[in-house]
Every structure is written in C-alpha cells, then in structure tokens.
Amino acid sequence: MASDFADIPFSSIAVIGAGTMGSAIAGQIANAGLDVLLLDMPDDDAEDVNRRSIDAVDRLKKSDPPALFSKSCADRIKTGNIRDDMAKLADADWIIEAVVERLDIKKSLYRQLAEVIPSDAVVTSNTSTIPIRVLVEDMDIDFRRRFAITHYFNPVRYMRLLELVEGEDTDADIMARLKDMNDRVLGKGVVQCRDTPGFLGNRVGVYALQVGLAEAHDQGISLEHADAVMGRPMGIPKTGVFGLYDLIGVDLMSDVVATLATILPADDAFHAVGQDHNPVASTIASMLADGHKGDKSGGGFYREDRAKMIDLASGNLINTGANPSPLIDAANAMMAAGDDALVLMISPAKDAADAPLVQFARRVLGKVFAYAASLIPAVTTTPQDIDDAMKLGFNWQRGPFEMMDAIGHDTVRAMIAEADMTIPPILAAGDCDAFYRPQNGALMVAAFHPDNLAPDMRPVNLPPRTIRFHMLRRCLAPLQRNKAASLYALDGDLRLIEFHSKANALTDESMEIVAAAAKDHGRGIIVHNDAQHFSAGVDLTSVLALIRQQDWTGIDAFLTRFQHAVAAMRDAPVPVIAAPSGLAIGGGFEVIVHADEVIAHGNSVFGLVEAAVGVVPGGGGVKETMRRWLDATNDPEQAAWKTWMQIGYARTGTSPAESAKIQYFLPDRDSMEMNRDKLMASAMERIAAIHAAGYTPSVAPQITLPGVGLRQKMSDFMDKGIADGMFYPHDKTVAMAVATIVVSDTEHAETVSEQDMFARERRAFLALAKTEETLLRIATLMEKGQSLRN
C-alpha cells in the first residue's frame, strides 16, 4: 500500500516504547503499508531479549477490536530493544517516543537519540501532559528545531484525533510534513495545538466528564439517567460519563485527572471539579480500594453486566432500569425518527419528575460551554480547533461551539449563569451570534484575537481533499429529504445519498431517497455519510412490528421496494460510488454492494449478519454474494457453499483487507482510504475518471445455481453441528432457508435471473419471519439488547 501515497513525508520510521500506545502507533503505521521499527527495553531474563516488543506485536494481533487491518500487517513491524538496536536509528527519518510519562526517562532517551539519529531526523513525543519546553529544555537548538508532540488517542486505529503541538523552536516545514503525514498517510484528523497544559482534547473532554460526575451527585441523578442524558441526546457516545469511566478504567481516569490537576493553571475552572474537590472522589477512592476499576475488573460504577449500579448518595448497589423517564423516552423516540434531541434536553420538562434531569443537562452544558469558550483566544483562536478535538478525539457528534449555535447564544448565556459560571468574553461581548455561518456556498468559522473580540469570519480550516459532509451540508439545500435520508446536488452535477436515521437504520423512507437518486442521477451518484457508522442495516423495530401483526404482505412489499430501489440505483446510466465508513452491515451492505465501485475507509466493517436474528438478507445480499463467488471460483457448487457458509455464520470483514477474503471487497475494483475525510473527494475524482475513460453501465446479473443435491450436504453439516453442540435447532432452519436461495430446486444446475433471486430471498425471509423462533430472536435483541440462540 505504501506505493499508493505519493511523496510520503517519512518512510523510515521507528517507535520507542512498546506499551499500549507505542505498539498501537506502530500498528497504525503498519496499517498504512509502511515498515516500522518498534523498540523497548531489553529483557535479559527472557529467552529472546526483544520479548517486550515481540509481546506487544502479539497483543496487536490478538486485540479486540482489531488494532490491525489484517494480522499480516504485523509483518511490517520489526522488533528490537534500545540497548542493542539504537544503531538502526541511523537510517530513521522519524522517531516517535512513546515511553512512560516520566520526564527523566524521556530526557535520557533524547540524549541517546541525539548521538545516533541523522541530523535531519524528526523526533516527536506522544506525551499527553508534558510541555515541549520542559521536554527539550536540555537539548541544543538543532534538536529542538526537529522536535514536536504527536499526541495520538487510544485506540489509535479507531480514534481519529492527532494533536500536533509545536514548540517555540520547531521548524515550520517539519510541522507541515508531520501534518501531511498524519492526515494523508495515517488517516488522522490533525488539530494543531499550542504548547499549553492538556492541549485541547483532554482539557475539555476530561473537564466535561468531571462536571458530569459532580452534577449527577449534586442534583441526585442516578448513573443511568445521567448517562442517558449526557449521551446520545447531546450527541455524545452512549456510554455517557459513568459508563465511559468504566470503559476507560476508573484507575486510569483517576490518573489523568490527577495529572491535569498538577499542570493546569491555579485559577483554571478544572480544579473545582478535579480530584480534590469533586463530590464523587470519595466514591472513586472506595471503588479503587475494593478493586473495582471498571469493565476490565468486573465492574466499576456499574456491576453485574450493568444490572446493578452505585447509588452516589449512599454508595450502595442498586438495580438499574427501575425508574423510567418520560424525558429520556421522548429523546429516544426523537432520535429513532432522525430528529435532534439536544434542544429537548434543555427545554422545560413536561413531567415534573424529569425537571431534575433538565436542570442536570442545563448545568452540565452550561459549565462545559463556559469552559470551552474561556479557552479562546488564549489557548486557541478558533472554535473549530476545540470542536474538532471533541469530535475526533471523544466521538462527539458536534463540538461545544456547534452545540451552542444549535441551542442559540441567548439560551447559552442563560445556562452559563444558571451553572454559576462567568460568561466568557467571546460570549459576553454579544458581537458573535453564531460561531459558524454559511456564506456564498462555504462554511465560515469565527476567529478571535486577544486585542479584538469581534469575530473574524473565515473559511473552516481543512487539509487538501478533506470534505466533512456534516459541514458541507450546512451550505446545501436538499433536493429531497425525509426523516431517514436526503438527496443532495454537489458540484459537477453529482448527487449524494445520505442516510441519517438512528444508527442509519434503513426504512421505506431510506429507499425512497435511493430510488429518487436513480431517477435524478446527474452525472454520478455517491452514497455516503460521515456518521460514526454508514448503516447498521434494516430497521428491525419496524420488521418486528410487522411480524407481530402477521402482516406478511407488508413485509414482502417492503422487501420488494428495497430490491427495486437498489437495482434502480445500480441501473442508473451514470457511475455509482459507495463511500462508507464504520459499520456497513445487513441492509447497509446490500446498498453499497449494488454500486459500481466502493471506496471504503480502512475501518469499514462489511457483512451480512441477518442470520444472527433468524432471517436472511432480503435486499439482494445473497444474490450479490453468490455472484461474486461465482466470478471468483467459476464453480456454482463451490460458490453456493461459500455463500451459504458465510451468510449462515454472519461473517464480517473488519477492514477492507479482511472483507476481500470473503468477496465483500474487490481489490481489483474497489479502493481504500486511510482518512475517512477523503472519501468524498476520492469518490468525486473517481466519477470524473470513469467518465473520462468512458462509462459502461452495469447490467443485471444472471446467476447459475447448483443442483438440488447440494442441500443434503448442507443439511448433514447442520445436523452434525447440532449433535456436536455447535448449533441450535433454529440455526439449521435459518441455514436451510439460505440453501433455498443459493441451490436450485431442480436436479441439475440452472441459470436464473436477478428477479428470480430477489424472489427467492423474499420467500426465504417470509418463511423465517413466520416462525416463533425468529420472532423471539428479533424481540430479544431489540427490547433487551441481547442476542438469543434457540
């Protein structure tokens, strides 16, 4: 893959420190197709002196979720130790230091590096806390000129943020090379930060978590209600605050909080909710003393698989799910319909019991907004830097300034006052009624300067070929829109289909937009969104309702409309490019599999997972999988068996490389982008290239199915699996339903049309939908969040 990048800024790279972060950074470099040298301390007591770095690579190969695009990427990571292999750094052009956060150890390492590395080699530190001026205060000007901080977020493969920090002496050209390398080659969203304590991401993100802890305690809000409010309705991951503490590790979070307390200015608002003054600090101390460090140790704030939780007032364990909330139910309903629930959370409560939740939301957001705004212009001049840090580093859907614009600045000022915070100058001045503003087809963002708090509106700052559709969308009017999806016109007479329901689950309304694009197609169609996940599949809530109503005609009609829409998109007389990232599974994958080409982000997950809930793919997924295996094997029986196995097992590919092994990604046709922000640009460029070469429209495939005798082999396979305890009875029912699609009803092989394959999928889907076992599988997943085997 290295050859895919022109003019790579760095090609001989070493990482020193094979801990969690260092090994993961090396893994991402290997994911990009580059060789990397990973060094750690020697282990003279081990059989291999390089045991520490070797074990780190082994952990990468076994990690879940996978840290590597494919286990073969580990072959690009060469291992060694800093005693015996320092001389190998004589050829390095970029050395990344990721050793323990101890200043003495880092300084000692820099002195060793200065003796062996080339005079033009760049050195960066992955520190999250220590300022550059302290790190290199003992080094000469030549070393300081080539030194910067590259602060990656964990897990490195999945967290998009890279905080790039320059020192007073760092060369501007080196900063530009580091920015280009991380943006274009390693796929990071780069935010350039000043050399200030905590930089941006952790400073605002950890403050927000600490505020959540304190306000939940002070307002008497339960953990699950606090997480439900300070989660998806605010555009924050569903873990909220207490769930995120457990996920990261209560001990690790405590260390981060303690470190920030030592490095932030004495007058910083963080200290009011830090470790020493937070009302939840004693609860955390008790938990740690008892060994409750979070998910990794059997629980922290939540216990017994979230069936129990800590009561902040008493410290006792209480049941979760005991106190439903109309406000949270209303927010969930809005989000399921594709609506924004943020304003709902800070509006007067309709139910008196929900008034404390509204007060909690207003006080939390008021404090976070005040803190973020107080960092401008001293820490950064533009809200975009903080918003990007929170979106890329903490998976917020919107940054705090984007949220302020959505709520309205007058309401924000009121919330800040209610939270007993001082209104920051950039908000108090009243000169700025919106931090972002569309203007002449471009999105502008405010910039502020110490000597003038009147906003200077300028275009948002993005690297070359970077398009973030949630930003571009603010400058566009949809050609057609409903609650689930929208159709937009882009420059060059292109069309873009965007799904935007909850989890981008697909409904009839989603397919209306797909069908509309097939008619109003312009010169090309792009299927893309920049949500965390492209689509988690068909909306099973709607399917479950139809099953309970025994509306078999309704299910068949929905599947028919789905099939017609994706086929019409495929048959449009223009190139169709799917540009997914994140999950593209079930019905989401069935949409992109009907595109001419796929340009996928490196973290895209492809698969047809319907068998797990007791149904089969009904939108052409079986047909297209069978077609691809026929193309690969030229053997109907082998193609049918492979299709049957991977759909029956609900196999997924956790990267384009893994998806290629099961024909869900076609390397000879499809392509991959390391940076998801480049997907749209690549798709637009690809459509132009296809037109320049002369576009040949796709045609509906014909599929050759093997004779019916193969079904007996499939049946025998399932019977043995049940006897061996590998499968359950309904697994066989589902598997044999898949067999009715991919195996002929006749003795000999037969070639059937696409429409016949569509009909086979619908018949199999309906047959399974009528079973009590499938009803139970879907209901258990949708209503309890659990997978059922029966």
Side-chain angles (χ1 to χ4, degrees), residues 38-152:
L38 179 63
L39 303 180
D40 206 295
M41 294 289 291
D43 187 348
D44 292 322
D45 295 329
E47 184 176 341
D48 191 318
V49 71
N50 298 327
R51 176 52 51 196
R52 289 188 173 91
S53 53
I54 292 171
D55 285 349
V57 176
D58 287 341
R59 288 194 299 271
L60 288 177
K61 292 191 285 188
K62 298 174 183 177
S63 61
D64 184 21
L68 302 174
F69 289 168
S70 177
K71 289 183 180 180
S72 62
C73 291
D75 297 339
R76 302 188 185 109
I77 306 176
K78 312 305 176 185
T79 56
N81 69 82
I82 60 173
R83 182 189 63 200
D84 304 325
D85 298 303
M86 288 292 280
K88 294 180 180 178
L89 300 180
D91 297 323
D93 54 14
W94 181 21
I95 301 95
I96 304 167
E97 170 267 300
V99 303
V100 65
E101 289 284 82
R102 277 184 50 184
L103 185 59
D104 58 333
I105 292 176
K106 291 178 185 289
K107 286 188 171 184
S108 175
L109 176 61
Y110 299 155
R111 288 192 291 270
Q112 294 179 63
L113 290 175
E115 295 178 2
V116 296
I117 63 175
S119 59
D120 58 351
V122 174
V123 179
T124 65
S125 173
N126 186 57
T127 183
S128 61
T129 56
I130 305 175
I132 288 183
R133 62 183 180 276
V134 177
L135 287 172
V136 294
E137 60 188 356
D138 301 328
M139 306 304 295
D140 62 29
I141 185 63
D142 181 64
F143 189 92
R144 297 200 303 268
R145 183 184 63 80
R146 297 178 283 128
F147 189 90
I149 288 174
T150 46
H151 177 215
Y152 297 90

Side-chain angles (χ1 to χ4, degrees), residues 518-715:
K519 295 179 181 178
D520 181 8
H521 47 67
R523 286 180 52 79
I525 300 170
I526 299 171
V527 191
H528 171 74
N529 61 72
D530 58 3
Q532 184 175 2
H533 296 299
F534 175 79
S535 174
V538 165
D539 178 17
L540 285 177
T541 302
S542 299
V543 173
L544 179 60
L546 291 171
I547 290 175
R548 283 178 166 158
Q549 297 163 14
Q550 297 187 12
D551 186 358
W552 316 125
T553 301
I555 293 176
D556 188 64
F558 166 69
L559 294 176
T560 300
R561 289 189 292 271
F562 193 113
Q563 293 170 347
H564 286 174
V566 294
M569 180 187 73
R570 189 263 330 274
D571 293 339
V574 295
V576 179
I577 305 293
S581 59
L583 291 178
I585 57 175
F589 181 68
E590 289 180 297
V591 172
I592 69 172
V593 82
H594 286 89
D596 289 303
E597 295 182 15
V598 174
I599 301 175
H601 180 229
N603 290 342
S604 297
V605 177
F606 294 159
L608 296 168
V609 298
E610 288 85 349
V613 291
V615 292
V616 298
V622 183
K623 163 185 67 80
E624 288 299 310
T625 305
M626 181 70 178
R627 179 181 65 80
R628 291 174 176 217
W629 277 117
L630 279 169
D631 290 344
T633 65
N634 198 32
D635 181 336
E637 186 165 315
Q638 187 179 0
W641 184 264
K642 287 183 175 293
T643 300
W644 181 73
M645 288 287 283
Q646 72 187 52
I647 290 178
Y649 277 111
R651 287 177 177 156
T652 59
T654 55
S655 68
E658 291 297 297
S659 293
K661 297 176 182 177
I662 52 176
Q663 300 299 314
Y664 284 161
F665 183 84
L666 305 177
D668 292 340
R669 188 202 73 171
D670 302 330
S671 58
M672 186 191 82
E673 273 286 355
M674 286 293 292
N675 192 325
R676 62 183 293 172
D677 290 338
K678 313 293 186 187
L679 288 170
M680 274 191 66
S682 290
M684 297 168 77
E685 292 161 3
R686 185 63 191 137
I687 289 175
I690 292 172
H691 276 301
Y695 175 61
T696 302
S698 302
V699 296
Q702 290 191 319
I703 307 293
T704 300
L705 306 180
V708 71
L710 183 60
R711 292 189 194 175
Q712 187 60 52
K713 180 182 176 182
M714 294 172 171
S715 179

Side-chain angles (χ1 to χ4, degrees), residues 354-401:
D354 280 332
L357 297 184
V358 172
Q359 183 180 21
F360 169 74
R362 290 178 69 91
R363 287 184 62 85
V364 166
L365 288 176
K367 289 188 175 184
V368 172
F369 292 160
Y371 189 70
S374 73
L375 301 180
I376 296 176
V379 175
T380 182
T381 61
T382 172
Q384 186 190 342
D385 286 343
I386 295 175
D387 284 346
D388 283 355
M390 297 313 300
K391 290 186 293 184
L392 300 173
F394 285 79
N395 279 337
W396 288 20
Q397 291 181 10
R398 288 179 289 206
F401 295 92

